[in-house]
Amino acid sequence: MTPHTAQTDPSGSTIIETRDLVREFSVRKGLSRRVVRAVDGLSLRIGAGEAVGYIGANGAGKSTTIKMLTGILVPTSGEVRTCGLDPTTRRRDLARRIGVVFGQRSQLWWDLPLRETYPILAAIHGLSSERERERTAELVDALDLAAFLDTPVRQLSLGQRMRGELAAALLHSPGLVILDEPTIGLDVLSKAQLRQFLRAERERHGTTLLLTTHDMSDIEHLCDRVLLVDSGRLLYDGDLPSLARSMGARRVLVVDLELPHPDLTDLSDEDGTPLAGVDLVGSEADGLRQRLAFDTEKTSAARLLAAVTRRTDVRDLSIEEPDIEDVVRRVYASGLDT
């Protein structure tokens, strides 16, 4: 697989753009020093309204990239523009246009309840009292914050605090929201609530999302596009299904049969033509349930099912999509030359 090139926003409205972006760190080891390149010639473009997952292994350069996008770190070389601004020289102006949520860091005041926190943040962003009240009411309703608005942040559960963090980051209606591990440590219900809110916020306001996470289900539920990085270099830029196909990941047809049956191997069309790209990957309960992996570019699900039903009666079926975590592992295991 060759790396994809950065995509261009067809509307011409670019929210994030980097060109040959490099960030180096000097690391001391004993009496000597060596230079480590955390971001290595990164070029990418994200358009207004996109939802993009930025993924990679630990140490791939994700956090360093975000710090340069937000002006926390100065690039060693290359160019970066966020919301049309140079983050290094226009950091204060940029702060009014973006919202950032770090799963393991808080922008809330630990001893203050949320009700007292939001007016302070609104004042920092220059919102009028009327606009602060309107936006807070909107976020309280959307994130279901009313029950704990008067509770000090230190007494909130992790799920409650993360909803409070999201409201804080979105209070000033930023055009770009950067989310760094926003669902880390959350239970299934809390994750679902945050994802539902972010989808609705994007639909309602056209918010651009940049999401870094190790939870691939976040990417699947929220993102239309994925950027995969390794050692600070861009390996892939495209959608998840295309990434799965490029790495040979396959869908799986799960069939529950009416009666036990020998393993469904050597399946063929009605005229006897063997089905290409189909393998039996599991059989349970004497063949009552069988799992057949298939390459969608060689055999369709309908064609495979027809071949199965010519052999035996099917009681129920389902199709499993490729496991995205497995796809990412395949990318790294393949030792791509980027």
Side-chain angles (χ1 to χ4, degrees), residues 76-144:
T76 301
S77 64
E79 299 179 16
V80 56
R81 290 290 182 274
T82 306
C83 299
L85 303 175
D86 180 342
T88 302
T89 61
R90 303 285 298 278
R91 186 177 175 186
R92 183 171 295 182
D93 293 332
L94 181 60
R96 295 190 176 96
R97 304 189 187 189
I98 66 173
V100 183
V101 177
F102 293 101
Q104 302 184 64
R105 298 180 184 177
S106 178
Q107 62 182 314
L108 303 173
W109 280 269
W110 204 240
D111 294 315
L112 291 182
L114 296 177
R115 190 184 300 279
E116 296 180 26
T117 298
Y118 296 145
I120 297 173
L121 292 172
I124 291 173
H125 287 294
L127 271 63
S128 68
S129 297
E130 181 180 1
R131 178 55 185 156
E132 182 271 322
R133 287 193 296 270
E134 290 175 353
R135 182 61 169 157
T136 298
E138 180 183 357
L139 291 168
V140 167
D141 180 61
L143 286 163
D144 197 18

Side-chain angles (χ1 to χ4, degrees), residues 35-227:
V35 174
V36 174
R37 184 166 284 195
V39 175
D40 188 5
L42 183 67
S43 296
L44 59 87
R45 183 175 297 155
I46 296 175
E50 285 194 271
V52 178
Y54 191 49
I55 64 175
N58 288 329
K62 303 187 301 297
S63 295
T64 301
T65 303
I66 286 176
K67 289 175 181 176
M68 288 190 286
L69 293 176
T70 55
I72 297 172
L73 284 178
V74 179
T76 301
S77 64
E79 299 179 16
V80 56
R81 290 290 182 274
T82 306
C83 299
L85 303 175
D86 180 342
T88 302
T89 61
R90 303 285 298 278
R91 186 177 175 186
R92 183 171 295 182
D93 293 332
L94 181 60
R96 295 190 176 96
R97 304 189 187 189
I98 66 173
V100 183
V101 177
F102 293 101
Q104 302 184 64
R105 298 180 184 177
S106 178
Q107 62 182 314
L108 303 173
W109 280 269
W110 204 240
D111 294 315
L112 291 182
L114 296 177
R115 190 184 300 279
E116 296 180 26
T117 298
Y118 296 145
I120 297 173
L121 292 172
I124 291 173
H125 287 294
L127 271 63
S128 68
S129 297
E130 181 180 1
R131 178 55 185 156
E132 182 271 322
R133 287 193 296 270
E134 290 175 353
R135 182 61 169 157
T136 298
E138 180 183 357
L139 291 168
V140 167
D141 180 61
L143 286 163
D144 197 18
L145 306 178
F148 50 89
L149 268 180
D150 294 308
T151 304
V153 170
R154 56 184 164 77
Q155 296 179 13
L156 299 179
S157 69
L158 181 57
Q160 290 171 335
R161 183 173 68 78
M162 286 308 301
R163 280 185 276 159
E165 294 278 3
L166 264 178
L170 291 164
L171 187 64
H172 57 299
S173 302
L176 168 66
V177 178
I178 298 175
L179 305 159
D180 188 9
E181 300 287 357
T183 63
I184 189 168
L186 299 187
D187 59 44
V188 173
L189 179 59
S190 296
K191 285 184 181 184
Q193 289 174 325
L194 258 64
R195 291 167 182 162
Q196 181 179 1
F197 167 75
L198 288 168
R199 286 195 298 268
E201 185 74 8
R202 183 184 170 207
E203 291 174 4
R204 188 179 303 114
H205 300 289
T207 308
T208 304
L209 301 180
L210 178 62
L211 171 66
T212 70
T213 182
H214 286 92
D215 188 334
M216 291 298 104
S217 59
D218 285 345
I219 302 293
E220 291 178 280
H221 284 89
L222 292 172
C223 300
D224 306 316
R225 177 181 166 202
V226 61
L227 304 173

